[in-house]
Amino acid sequence: MTVAPPTTASARLLGLLARDLPPDRLTTDPAALAAYATDRSGTRPDGLPLAVAHARRTEEVAVTLRHAHALRVPVVPRGAGTGLSGGATAGEGALVLDLSRMNRILELSLDDQLAVVEPGVITAELDRAAGGHGLRYAPDPASAALSTIGGNIATNAGGLRCAKYGVTRDSVLGLEAVLADGTVVRTGRRTVKGVTGYDLTALLTGSEGTLAVITSATLRLRPVPVATATLAAYFASFEAAAEASYALTRAGVEPALAELVDGPVLGAVDPALRERGAALLLVQCDGAGAEIEAAAVSRLLAPLATAVETTADPAEAEALLAARRLALPALERLGRPLIEDIAVPRSRLAEAAREIRAVSARHDVPVFTLAHAADGNLHPIIVVDPSLPRLPDAAWEAAGEIFALALRLGGTLTGEHGVGVLKRQWVADELGPAAHSLQRRLKEAFDPRGILNPGKCL
Amino acid sequence: MTVAPPTTASARLLGLLARDLPPDRLTTDPAALAAYATDRSGTRPDGLPLAVAHARRTEEVAVTLRHAHALRVPVVPRGAGTGLSGGATAGEGALVLDLSRMNRILELSLDDQLAVVEPGVITAELDRAAGGHGLRYAPDPASAALSTIGGNIATNAGGLRCAKYGVTRDSVLGLEAVLADGTVVRTGRRTVKGVTGYDLTALLTGSEGTLAVITSATLRLRPVPVATATLAAYFASFEAAAEASYALTRAGVEPALAELVDGPVLGAVDPALRERGAALLLVQCDGAGAEIEAAAVSRLLAPLATAVETTADPAEAEALLAARRLALPALERLGRPLIEDIAVPRSRLAEAAREIRAVSARHDVPVFTLAHAADGNLHPIIVVDPSLPRLPDAAWEAAGEIFALALRLGGTLTGEHGVGVLKRQWVADELGPAAHSLQRRLKEAFDPRGILNPGKCL
């Protein structure tokens, strides 16, 4: 990547943006810029970004990129800044392109069960708007109340319901995006199927703002299930809970969600929960067969668990799920959480949990673990003292061993949070040299000057 | 694309392949080559291919591509040749790379509900092998008994069950592929989730052999549903049947399949069927809630249909589905079928059917129509006199109007068969110039010399 010397190119870019964008689109006050340097990962690069451009229309994104491309100034696209891997962090001299004000739901088609939205729409707000018509947006990352659709697409966000309904990619039918040089492209379609040309929609989904800036998304909506049944089962150990969740997979049950919460997390949420068991498995079944499936789940779990509760009542179900939803806020009260996101083949879940505990003990680093059990996606969370100026070496070493473990078990560094900056040093190990080099060639085909979110993802 | 003069480069390539491939891997007999020039689309380019290389191992694919790349000889990858768009046709001077003998199931993991297979495995055989363990491979293109996994991935094949279980892409977790220059790359993973790097697995799926040659695929298997219920409903018109299927979508029903068969097709399959109605809608529900869902479907269809039959018996269900499964063979008895594959937003299905009938009348070309109704994917089939040396102009004009119709309704040229050579002239209309040019740059990043399946897809 070639970046122009700060004075000339930066000053010229700010001049051009001031000339070509509507008023009130630029933030250059250093006090205000500090918040845009970092994201929820807590990572903060050196220096401050040059400015923030708050785009409200596709044409504003296009003109911003056209000038930045001509002047070779790096651009960091940003939604709500809730990313956990540092993908939206912006260092010295970068222009932050804030999409959070492009937040209109442009269309909600009940006829075709889809929505067309701008990237700054909050995920939960789309789901709520769809819910008024008996539909829903299936992906539900834990950040849904804060995070934007654009950010969800950039990281191919997962969530709880992806056990049954897939990840963000599975709900994206088409995109409008602006390339590094300001060209507007449209990918995909409004139909549920289609194979004309290469699948650029899937390629952009999960590309962490390094290939193009998404300015609109056509999203699949699904009917709200006719029925839902929720179970909470407590276990004597996390491994026992992991084995039980795997027993459901082996028995052919496909729950809408299956969440594992370990004892330390339960203790952080509510000491009374911790007393009920050393691990909690939450399972939700939905659709016409929800009750039948939940009964099958209950039969499978009963001999393995210390207690199983079932409810078909939505309010009771939310109370059961609260232990999962409150986990991250509870851990944030204990310190600064460094949230890992490995995924392993589902049969290796218990083994992964056992090894993670060994890593924790070896480095004397407390690790709290949540898991999307039906996907084999574990979130081992290292909580560090927030007063420390940087992450202690022991935390980095533990994180590195957890990544190595994931790859050794046939898994991946990141199931749903993205690589960002935090996992970049391990990417080549997972991809292998040939695929890594091919991915870099693709990046060049999209962004030959390397201005889009440099230093992220690959 | 630059192709070397036939004499020198072709002769040198054959010499190198004879030297570097094991014995019995090359076919050069012109009589045998003729079959490899065409595929099930019936399209036959000018001239004969240079030779066929029958690879049995990834290394053989790699060495073949390395030499072809060095000598700039075009290579046409081929599975079973069941493609309907001409994607596997091979003209003068091309080397056909036959993958059908790479047909081993390398792994069938019940633990992780996945299979690792070579590209020449027949789709139905994988499904059968999985079925022995209570699992199945969900995608079921109508060609499943003949077509290969590699070909299915190359076209991102659909099928009947994708109404609920998605297209081929939704079952591909990872790939091994050989790039144009002979480099072997691995994409994706064995886990159900993962976002490290760009989604090359999705990019290769549906790329019609123009980006790389797939040599192995890691495929998701799913549990065989615990129950299935099947309905057959007859209607007074195709539009009425289309409206009824759309009523199911609007009511939030998500069947495992929903197939529409029009009156002319019914007549071709069995005149007795045609007497039962002017159109047939077949619906299958599966999973724990199958019977409950089927009852809801029956209630919704009853006031709209002339007759509704329901069965939970697998043999009776197969008999009901026979009208759909036998459609293509029946039409092949009438002439040479030119099978279109447009998809439209589901709300426009009846409108599309009505317009297709108008096109048929205007050009005096008989059009038979099948549809994967839940996906909005229509197969208007023009049957032409097989004794004609080429397709009559009226058939081409009708096909062109059907493509234009699909785009006008917000749809796509091809839902699941691919562009191949037959739809190439309309691709730019659908993609638009910016996305088309971006796709060409991606092609160059993969295959700078343009040797892989030139003249297809884009």
Side-chain angles (χ1 to χ4, degrees):
Chain A
M1 186 201 58
T2 321
V3 176
T7 47
T8 53
S10 305
R12 285 185 59 200
L13 179 62
L14 291 182
L16 290 168
L17 295 180
R19 184 191 76 187
D20 291 346
L21 291 178
D24 303 323
R25 294 296 198 268
L26 279 182
T27 293
T28 53
D29 171 19
L33 292 179
Y36 290 90
T38 188
D39 63 14
R40 205 169 178 192
S41 71
T43 314
R44 184 177 283 279
D46 291 334
L48 278 188
L50 169 67
V52 183
H54 307 278
R56 287 189 177 268
R57 294 290 178 267
T58 299
E59 309 82 68
E60 296 172 19
V61 173
V63 75
T64 301
L65 286 171
R66 197 165 66 239
H67 289 316
H69 185 256
L71 293 163
R72 296 176 184 266
V73 173
V75 175
V76 178
R78 183 183 180 94
T82 57
L84 295 167
S85 304
T89 58
E92 184 75 37
L95 177 72
V96 175
L97 181 47
D98 167 28
L99 286 313
S100 67
R101 300 183 192 176
M102 288 183 72
N103 59 359
R104 293 176 301 168
I105 295 177
L106 302 173
E107 181 188 350
L108 196 67
S109 168
L110 312 184
D111 282 347
D112 292 318
Q113 300 185 348
L114 60 81
V116 182
V117 304
E118 291 184 330
V121 168
I122 301 293
T123 307
E125 285 180 11
L126 170 61
D127 192 39
R128 197 152 37 233
H133 305 279
L135 297 172
R136 72 180 184 183
Y137 177 65
D140 63 339
S143 61
L146 303 169
S147 61
T148 63
I149 290 292
N152 290 182
I153 294 172
T155 54
N156 192 11
L160 277 57
R161 300 196 287 231
C162 54
K164 182 167 180 178
Y165 297 100
V167 292
T168 296
R169 189 191 75 174
D170 299 304
S171 288
V172 183
L173 298 171
L175 295 172
E176 177 190 79
V178 184
L179 302 182
D181 66 2
T183 307
V184 179
V185 296
R186 280 177 192 78
T187 75
R189 47 197 67 80
R190 287 172 67 92
T191 56
V192 287
K193 270 160 91 178
V195 294
T196 302
Y198 306 136
D199 191 349
L200 298 185
T201 308
L203 191 64
L204 291 180
T205 304
S207 67
E208 304 193 50
T210 63
L211 297 182
V213 177
I214 292 159
T215 48
S216 158
T218 303
L219 302 171
R220 179 178 185 168
L221 303 176
R222 292 168 179 275
V224 172
V226 292
T228 299
T230 307
L231 299 98
Y234 290 87
F235 292 84
S237 73
F238 190 80
E239 285 83 340
E243 291 293 1
S245 83
Y246 177 60
L248 301 181
T249 300
R250 278 303 300 270
V253 177
E254 287 191 310
L257 66 83
E259 294 291 314
L260 273 169
V261 184
D262 80 355
V265 174
L266 291 177
V269 173
D270 180 353
L273 281 174
R274 177 65 187 82
E275 279 168 30
R276 303 205 55 192
L280 169 64
L281 174 63
L282 295 162
V283 177
Q284 197 164 75
C285 300
D286 69 15
E291 280 194 48
I292 302 169
E293 283 182 322
V297 170
S298 184
R299 273 194 307 277
L300 286 160
L301 295 184
L304 306 169
T306 54
V308 181
E309 295 168 40
T310 306
T311 181
D313 178 76
E316 283 177 28
E318 272 312 302
L320 293 178
L321 290 176
R324 172 64 182 82
R325 298 206 190 275
L326 297 175
L328 193 52
L331 296 178
E332 283 175 330
R333 285 195 298 273
L334 299 181
R336 177 183 159 196
L338 179 69
I339 305 175
E340 299 311 339
D341 174 43
I342 63 169
V344 297
R346 290 174 286 193
S347 61
R348 316 300 287 269
L349 196 61
E351 185 179 350
R354 201 156 39 235
E355 294 277 340
I356 288 166
R357 198 158 44 226
V359 169
S360 165
R362 199 153 55 236
H363 294 279
D364 193 21
V365 166
V367 179
F368 299 76
T369 300
L370 301 168
H372 304 304
D375 303 321
N377 187 189
L378 292 127
H379 294 312
I381 303 171
I382 299 172
V383 178
V384 298
D385 180 346
S387 69
L388 293 174
R390 45 186 289 281
L391 282 181
D393 289 344
W396 275 113
E397 284 160 20
E401 286 186 23
I402 290 170
F403 292 141
L405 164 71
L407 299 185
R408 184 157 50 79
L409 295 180
T412 176
L413 298 174
T414 173
E416 57 181 16
H417 293 170
V419 169
V421 291
L422 287 178
K423 293 159 207 155
R424 225 180 140 221
Q425 66 183 103
W426 294 278
V427 166
D429 291 344
E430 176 169 339
L431 297 180
H436 197 214
S437 141
L438 176 60
Q439 299 223 353
R440 286 177 182 278
R441 290 207 299 282
L442 291 187
K443 162 75 176 172
E444 283 168 25
F446 274 86
D447 179 19
R449 298 185 177 179
I451 66 160
L452 283 176
N453 218 4
K456 313 289 170 61
C457 187
L458 284 189
Chain B
M1 187 202 57
T2 321
V3 175
T7 47
T8 53
S10 305
R12 285 185 60 199
L13 179 62
L14 292 181
L16 289 167
L17 295 181
R19 185 191 75 185
D20 291 347
L21 291 178
D24 304 322
R25 294 294 197 271
L26 278 181
T27 293
T28 53
D29 172 18
L33 291 179
Y36 289 90
T38 188
D39 63 14
R40 205 169 177 192
S41 71
T43 314
R44 184 176 285 279
D46 292 333
L48 278 187
L50 169 67
V52 183
H54 307 278
R56 286 188 177 270
R57 293 290 178 269
T58 299
E59 309 83 68
E60 296 172 20
V61 173
V63 75
T64 300
L65 287 171
R66 199 165 65 238
H67 289 316
H69 185 256
L71 293 163
R72 296 176 184 266
V73 173
V75 175
V76 178
R78 185 183 179 94
T82 56
L84 296 167
S85 304
T89 57
E92 184 76 36
L95 177 73
V96 175
L97 180 48
D98 167 28
L99 286 313
S100 67
R101 300 183 192 176
M102 288 184 71
N103 60 359
R104 293 176 300 168
I105 295 176
L106 302 173
E107 180 188 350
L108 197 66
S109 168
L110 312 184
D111 282 347
D112 291 318
Q113 300 185 348
L114 61 80
V116 182
V117 305
E118 290 184 331
V121 168
I122 301 292
T123 308
E125 285 180 11
L126 169 62
D127 193 38
R128 198 150 39 234
H133 304 280
L135 296 173
R136 71 181 184 183
Y137 177 64
D140 63 339
S143 61
L146 304 169
S147 61
T148 63
I149 291 291
N152 289 181
I153 295 172
T155 54
N156 192 12
L160 277 57
R161 298 196 289 230
C162 55
K164 183 167 179 178
Y165 297 101
V167 292
T168 296
R169 188 192 76 174
D170 300 303
S171 287
V172 182
L173 298 172
L175 296 171
E176 179 190 79
V178 183
L179 301 182
D181 66 1
T183 306
V184 179
V185 295
R186 279 176 194 80
T187 74
R189 47 196 67 82
R190 287 171 67 92
T191 55
V192 286
K193 269 160 90 180
V195 293
T196 303
Y198 306 136
D199 191 348
L200 298 185
T201 308
L203 191 65
L204 292 179
T205 303
S207 67
E208 304 193 49
T210 64
L211 297 182
V213 177
I214 292 159
T215 48
S216 159
T218 302
L219 302 171
R220 179 178 186 166
L221 303 175
R222 291 169 180 273
V224 173
V226 293
T228 299
T230 307
L231 299 98
Y234 289 89
F235 293 84
S237 72
F238 191 79
E239 285 83 340
E243 291 292 2
S245 83
Y246 176 60
L248 300 182
T249 300
R250 278 304 300 270
V253 177
E254 288 191 310
L257 66 83
E259 294 291 314
L260 272 170
V261 185
D262 80 355
V265 174
L266 290 176
V269 172
D270 179 353
L273 280 173
R274 177 66 187 81
E275 280 169 29
R276 303 204 55 194
L280 169 64
L281 173 63
L282 295 162
V283 178
Q284 199 163 74
C285 302
D286 68 15
E291 280 194 50
I292 301 169
E293 282 182 322
V297 170
S298 184
R299 271 195 307 277
L300 286 160
L301 296 183
L304 307 169
T306 55
V308 182
E309 294 167 40
T310 306
T311 181
D313 177 76
E316 283 178 28
E318 272 312 302
L320 293 179
L321 290 176
R324 172 64 183 81
R325 298 207 191 274
L326 297 175
L328 193 53
L331 296 179
E332 283 175 330
R333 284 195 298 274
L334 299 182
R336 177 184 160 196
L338 179 70
I339 306 176
E340 299 311 340
D341 174 41
I342 62 169
V344 297
R346 290 173 286 193
S347 60
R348 316 301 287 269
L349 197 60
E351 185 179 351
R354 198 157 40 235
E355 294 277 340
I356 288 166
R357 197 156 47 226
V359 169
S360 165
R362 200 152 55 235
H363 294 279
D364 193 22
V365 166
V367 179
F368 299 75
T369 299
L370 301 169
H372 305 303
D375 303 320
N377 186 190
L378 291 127
H379 294 311
I381 303 172
I382 299 171
V383 177
V384 298
D385 180 346
S387 69
L388 294 174
R390 45 186 290 280
L391 282 180
D393 288 344
W396 275 113
E397 283 160 21
E401 286 187 23
I402 290 170
F403 292 140
L405 165 71
L407 299 185
R408 184 158 49 79
L409 296 180
T412 176
L413 298 174
T414 173
E416 56 181 17
H417 293 172
V419 170
V421 291
L422 288 178
K423 294 159 207 155
R424 225 181 139 222
Q425 66 184 102
W426 293 280
V427 166
D429 291 344
E430 177 170 340
L431 297 181
H436 197 217
S437 142
L438 176 60
Q439 299 224 353
R440 286 177 182 277
R441 290 208 299 282
L442 291 188
K443 162 75 175 171
E444 282 169 25
F446 274 87
D447 178 20
R449 296 184 178 178
I451 67 162
L452 283 177
N453 218 4
K456 314 289 170 59
C457 186
L458 283 190

